[in-house]
Amino acid sequence: MACQSIAAIMDEQALLGLNPNADACYRQRAMVYFEQLKESQDAWEVCAEALAKGIYSDDHVKFFCFQVLEHQIKYRHASLSAVQQQLIRETLMKWLQCQLMNAQPEKPFIRNKAAQVFALTFVMEYLTLWPKFFFDILSLVGLNPHGVDVYLRTLMAIDAEVVDRDILHSSEETRRNTLIKDLMREQCIPSLVESWFQILRAYQQSHPELTCQCLEVVGAYVSWIELNLIANDRFVNLLLSQMSVEELREEACDCLFEIVNKGMDPVDKTKLVESLCQVLQSAGFFNVAQEEDVDFLAKFSRLVNGMGQSLVLSWTKLVKAGNVKVAAETLQAVEAKVPLLLQLLVHEDDDISANIVAFCYDYLHVLKQLPQLTDQQKTNIEAIMLAVIKKLTYDDEYNFENEGEDEAMFVEYRKQLKMLLDRLAQVSPDLLLQAVRRVFSNTMLNWQTTPFMEVEVGIRLLYMLGEALPASHGAHFSGDNAKTSALQDMMRTLVSSGVSGYQHTSVALEFFETVVRYDKFFLVEPQHIPNVLMAFLDHRGLRHSSPKVRSRVAYLFSRFVKTLHKHMNAFIEDILTRIQDLLELAPPENGFPALLTSDDQLFMFETAGVLIVNGESPAERKQALMRSLLTPLTEAFRLLLAKLPREAEEERQAALADCLSHAVGFASRTSKAFSNKQTVKTCGCTEVYRDCLQAFLPALSCPVQRGSLRSAVRSFLHRMIICLEEEVLPFIPAASEHMLKDCEAKDLQEFIPLISQITAKFKGQVSPFLQQVFMPLVLAIFEVLGRPAEDNDQAAALEKQMLRRSYFTFIQTIASSGMNEVMAGQGVENIERVLFTIIQGAVDFPDPIAQKTCFIILSKLVELWGGKDGMVGFPDFIYKHIVPACFLAPLKPTFDLTDAQTVLTLSECALTLKMIHLKRVRLTFPLNATAFATVMWEHDCFSWGAYAKTSLCLRDPNSFSTYSRNTYLPCKCHQKLHRNYVKCWNSQMLRSSKATLRHFFSEPNYKKETGSSEGL
C-alpha cells in the first residue's frame, strides 16, 4: 500500500521527462515538477521515502530524488522542523543499508550524488545534531564493499566542502569548517585512519578500485590531520608494499607525495624523506632505466620532485636557524638525489622530465647560495646542463605546419627548460658559455648532414644565451672580453656558415630570430650585413615556402632595419626594388594568394618608410621615393572606392572595405618612420601625405561599410595631426562634417579623441573650428545617448557609458585648453544645456570615472568664470547647482568610499569646493544665507542646506561653530569635526580639506539622517 500511495503522490508523467531521450514537453514538465518539490514545505518528503524504500528502479528518478533532497539540505535546512531533519538522516542511513544488501552497486553518478548529499548533511549537522556521523556510518558499513565505496566517496565530498582550498568560502563558512576540522581531530580522526588501514589491507587484492579510492582519501586528509597517524611503520610499510602492485602503485605514489608535502619540522621532514628514499631505493625503484611503465614513472618523478623540494626547504630553514651541522647533513641528502634527478630529467618522456624540473631548479638555487662549489657540484651542474640541452631538442613527430595540443605542451615544457638554463647561467655563467659554444661549434661544422632538430637546438642555445647572460640594452658585444669574444665568434660562424639555407622551417625561424636578437653584432662587424640582408629578402626569408616563416620574417626584418638603418644607405633603393611586389595592395578579386598577409605588409611598409626617411639622400630624393611607395596605394584606393557603392553583395562590400582599410593603414604605417629629427617637412614629404589625405577623405562619405572606412581614415588623421601639424588643419572641418553624419555610439566615441587631440595640440589655432563644430558634436552625442534601448541590453548600456565618458573628456579638454570662447560663444541656452549635463554626470550616474571628470570640469569652469570678470549669471549657477552637486553626489548610495576611483572623485569634489571658496570668498555673494539654504531645501537636503548656510560664515569660525551647534544639529555631526572642517577651508591646506571631506562623508550618521537625494 505504501508503494501505491507514493506512486500516486509522485507525478509519474513528470518523471517520464527525466529521461534524456524524452520529448521536450515531458522535460519541461519535469523541470516544473522539480521546482514545485524544491519550494514545497513537505512535498520533498515523498522523494525521501522513495529513496529509503527503494521504490523506483529508474536511475534518473533516483538521481532526481537526491537532487530534491540536496536542495532542501543546502538551502532550507535551518527552516526544517526537527522531525524533518531526523527524516533526512534516517533516509540516508536506510538508503545506505539498502546498498549493503544489493547484489550490484548503483551507477557511479548516483553514488557520487548520494555522497554529496551525505557530505552536505554532515556539514550542516556534525557540530550540533549528528556528532556521531562517522561512527554511525562505520558501524553500518563495516567492510562491505558497496558500503565502503559510498563511505570513501562521502569522505572525498566532505573534503571538497570543508578542506579544498581551491573552493572559495565565505568568512562564516571558513569559521564553520575550522570548527568541524577541530572537532574531527578531537573525536574521530583516529577511528577514520584505522578504517583506512583496514580497507587498504583488506581490499588490495580483491578490490583494487576501492584501495585506490582509499589511497586518494588518505592523500586528501593527510594535509590537516596528525601526521604520526599516517607516517608510522605499519602505514608506510603498507603503502610501500602497494608501490609494487601494478593496479595500486600510481595512487600509492600520489599518497606518499601528499605525506611528504605535509608541513613539519625540518629535521623531522628530513628523517621522513630519507627513510622513504632508503626503502624505495632498496626496493629497486631508483633503477629508472629498467621501468617501462611511463604512467607510473610520471607519478614517481612527481614523488621524487616532492621529496627533493622538501629537503631543499628543510635546508633553507636550517640555514636560517643557524643549525649548521644538520643543514650540512640535509645538503648531503639533497646531493644524494641528484643521480636520480638526472635519470628522470633526461628521460625520453617529457611528462616524466617535466615533473622533476622544480626540484632541479631549487637545487641550482641552493648551489647559487653556496660560497664555493665542490668538484662534484660542478660535475652536477655540467650534467644538468647537458640534460637540458638534450631535452630542448624537437622529436621527429613534432608537426611544425599544423601545431596541436602535443606541440603546445612541448612549447610549454621548453619554457620550463629555459628557466633551468637561466638558473644555470646564474650559478656558473662560464660553464654555460663553454657548453653552448661547444655544442654550437660542433653543430655548425657539419650542419648540411646534421638532422634539423640538432641544428635548430644549436642555434636556439645561442639565442637563449641572450637572456641567460643579460646585457644592458642588448650590448652583448662590449664589456666582458671572454663573453664578448665567444658570442662574436658564434655570430660570425652563424652568418657566414650558410646555415640560413637549411630547408626546415624551425631552423630558418631560429636563424632569423637569433640574427635580430644580436643585431648589435652588425654594428661591430658591418661587413656581414649584405649577406644577412639577402637571406631576409630571398627564398630563405620573405619568399620562404612556409607562410609561418614569411610572416615572422616580415616582423623581424622591420626590427633589423630599425636598428641598423644607418648602415644601409648603400642598399636602400635595392631593397625597395626587391620588396616592391610585397608592397602591392592585393584586391579581393585577385584570386592569387598573397605571399604576405595584410598584417605582415604593415611591417613591410614601416620598414620601407624607415629606409627612406633615415637614408642620407636629399629631401627631393626622399620625396620621390616616398611618392613611389604611396602613389600605387592611393591609385588603387580610388579605383576600389569607386567600385564599392556599386557592389550589391554585402560579403563583397565587406571584402572591398577591408582592402580599402588596409590601404589607409599601410600609408599610416609609413609615417611611423618620422621622428623629431627627421620630420615630414624636413624630408620633403608633406605634399605626399597631403595627396594621401585628399585620396582617403572621400571614403568618409561612402554610403556603405561606413564603420570600417571611417575607423581607418580616423586613424590616419590621428597620425597626420602628429606628422603634418598645421598642414592637416584645412582637412579637418570637412572630415568632421562627414564623420558626424549618421553616426553610432562607437563612431562618436572614436571621433571625440580626434577632436581632443586637435584641441590639445593646436589650441587657439582651431578655436574658430571648435566653435563651429562644438554644438553639432554635442547634439549628435545627445541624440545617440537619448536613443531607447532594452533594459537588459548590457552592450548598449556599456556603449552609452563609454560615450558619456568620452563626452565629458572632450568638455574637459576644451575647458583645460584655455579656450573659454569655444563654450562661451554657443549661446545661453546651449551653455546651460551643456552645464546641466555636467551636473547630471557629477551626481546622477554611478560611474566614478565620469563623475571625477565632471568635477574637474566644474572646478575649471569656476576658476575661469567664477570671478569678477566671469560669465554673467555663472555665480548664480555655482550656488544653485555646483555647490549642491558637491554634497548630493557623495550622498548617493552608489558613492562607495571603499572604491579607489570614488575616492579620487571625492578629491576632485573637494578641489571644486576649494576653488569656489577661493574665487567667491572675497566677493559679495549673490545669494544671502537664507536664500542659499532655500536652494538646498529645494533639493530635499535640509541638513546640507543648513551646513551650506554656515559655509557662508567661514570668515568667522566662532560664529560658524555656534550656528552649526544650534542649527546644524539635525545632521548630528561632531563638534570637533565642524571645527576641523571650517579650519581646513580657511587654511590653504588642500590635502587637509580632501581628508576632512572624506571623513565627513564617511560618517554613518550623515546618510542615515539626511537620506540621499535622487538627483537634480
Side-chain angles (χ1 to χ4, degrees), residues 162-436:
V162 176
V163 182
D164 195 336
R165 291 187 178 90
D166 293 332
I167 298 174
L168 293 176
H169 294 290
S170 67
S171 57
E172 181 59 30
E173 289 172 339
T174 302
R175 189 187 69 83
R176 177 204 65 194
N177 293 345
T178 302
L179 291 173
I180 287 174
K181 287 190 289 185
D182 288 344
L183 190 58
M184 285 180 67
R185 290 189 192 99
E186 184 181 326
Q187 289 188 351
C188 63
I189 286 298
S191 299
L192 295 184
V193 173
E194 181 60 29
S195 73
W196 302 338
F197 181 80
Q198 298 301 331
I199 291 167
L200 291 174
R201 190 172 63 176
Y203 290 125
Q204 62 180 348
Q205 299 296 333
S206 59
H207 294 80
E209 71 284 353
L210 284 180
T211 309
C212 287
Q213 272 183 259
C214 191
L215 288 168
E216 187 181 1
V217 167
V218 174
Y221 279 72
V222 75
S223 65
W224 60 274
I225 66 174
E226 179 63 42
L227 184 62
N228 292 335
L229 295 171
I230 303 292
N232 52 55
D233 287 344
R234 71 167 193 155
F235 221 110
V236 171
N237 288 336
L238 181 60
L239 292 174
L240 290 171
S241 70
Q242 291 172 346
M243 289 276 289
S244 303
V245 181
E246 191 171 345
E247 297 93 336
L248 307 178
R249 57 185 188 163
E250 290 180 30
E251 286 296 340
C253 255
D254 283 343
C255 187
L256 287 171
F257 172 81
E258 296 298 338
I259 293 171
V260 165
N261 256 19
K262 183 174 172 63
M264 56 191 298
D265 175 78
V267 176
D268 294 337
K269 175 63 73 72
T270 302
K271 290 177 180 176
L272 172 65
V273 170
E274 283 300 273
S275 63
L276 278 176
C277 284
Q278 288 172 9
V279 176
L280 290 170
Q281 188 170 13
S282 62
F285 287 106
F286 282 19
N287 299 324
V288 174
Q290 297 177 12
E291 181 58 63
E292 296 179 356
D293 185 348
V294 292
D295 291 333
F296 168 70
L297 274 181
K299 298 283 188 180
F300 180 69
S301 181
R302 180 169 174 262
L303 172 60
V304 174
N305 186 74
M307 292 192 294
Q309 286 191 293
S310 294
L311 288 174
V312 169
L313 183 60
S314 295
W315 176 83
T316 304
K317 289 179 178 178
L318 290 165
V319 169
K320 283 183 180 178
N323 195 338
V324 179
K325 182 175 180 296
V326 182
E329 293 172 357
T330 304
L331 182 57
Q332 286 180 353
V334 173
E335 302 272 7
K337 310 299 176 292
V338 173
L340 178 58
L341 179 156
L342 290 168
Q343 287 186 70
L344 295 167
L345 186 63
V346 297
H347 197 281
E348 61 182 12
D349 187 279
D350 292 338
D351 290 337
I352 296 169
S353 177
N355 283 346
I356 202 70
V357 165
F359 173 33
C360 188
Y361 187 86
D362 288 351
Y363 171 62
L364 292 173
H365 184 64
V366 169
L367 296 184
K368 181 173 176 275
Q369 298 174 67
L370 299 179
Q372 191 172 357
L373 298 179
T374 65
D375 290 341
Q376 183 58 53
Q377 288 166 343
K378 290 177 182 177
T379 303
N380 290 343
I381 291 171
E382 196 160 358
I384 292 171
M385 207 175 291
L386 293 174
V388 170
I389 291 171
K390 178 182 177 183
K391 291 301 295 180
L392 279 167
T393 308
Y394 286 111
D395 59 34
D396 294 326
E397 297 174 359
Y398 193 98
N399 189 337
F400 289 91
E401 297 305 320
N402 186 22
E403 293 177 327
E405 186 179 349
D406 289 343
E407 286 74 19
M409 288 172 65
F410 181 74
V411 169
E412 286 302 311
Y413 170 59
R414 259 192 162 194
K415 290 177 183 176
Q416 294 182 43
L417 295 176
K418 180 193 172 299
M419 288 171 54
L420 285 182
L421 205 72
D422 291 344
R423 181 61 82 190
L424 283 163
Q426 294 171 4
V427 178
S428 183
D430 294 338
L431 271 177
L432 179 64
L433 190 60
Q434 291 168 17
V436 170

Side-chain angles (χ1 to χ4, degrees), residues 85 88-90 92-93 117-118 121-122 124-137 183 187:
Q85 291 173 347
I88 290 174
R89 293 193 288 276
E90 290 175 356
L92 292 177
M93 296 305 288
V117 175
F118 268 102
T121 307
F122 166 81
M124 295 294 181
E125 300 191 350
Y126 180 63
L127 294 173
T128 53
L129 301 173
W130 202 355
K132 294 186 177 297
F133 176 88
F134 288 112
F135 296 108
D136 290 348
I137 290 178
L183 190 58
Q187 289 188 351

Side-chain angles (χ1 to χ4, degrees), residues 452-498:
F452 82 86
M453 61 280 288
E454 294 181 25
V455 178
E456 189 274 343
V457 85
I459 303 173
R460 179 76 177 174
L461 285 167
L462 172 56
Y463 174 87
M464 292 169 82
L465 275 181
E467 288 183 8
L469 305 173
S472 177
H473 303 292
H476 292 286
F477 302 96
S478 59
D480 182 3
N481 285 335
K483 173 192 162 186
T484 300
S485 174
L487 284 174
Q488 206 164 321
D489 182 53
M490 284 189 278
M491 278 302 295
R492 194 181 302 117
T493 302
L494 179 70
V495 298
S496 60
S497 64

Side-chain angles (χ1 to χ4, degrees), residues 510-526:
E510 208 57 62
F511 172 82
F512 289 110
E513 294 279 3
T514 306
V515 161
V516 173
R517 162 151 285 181
Y518 297 108
D519 49 15
K520 289 185 172 55
F521 162 76
F522 300 95
L523 298 174
V524 180
E525 298 190 23

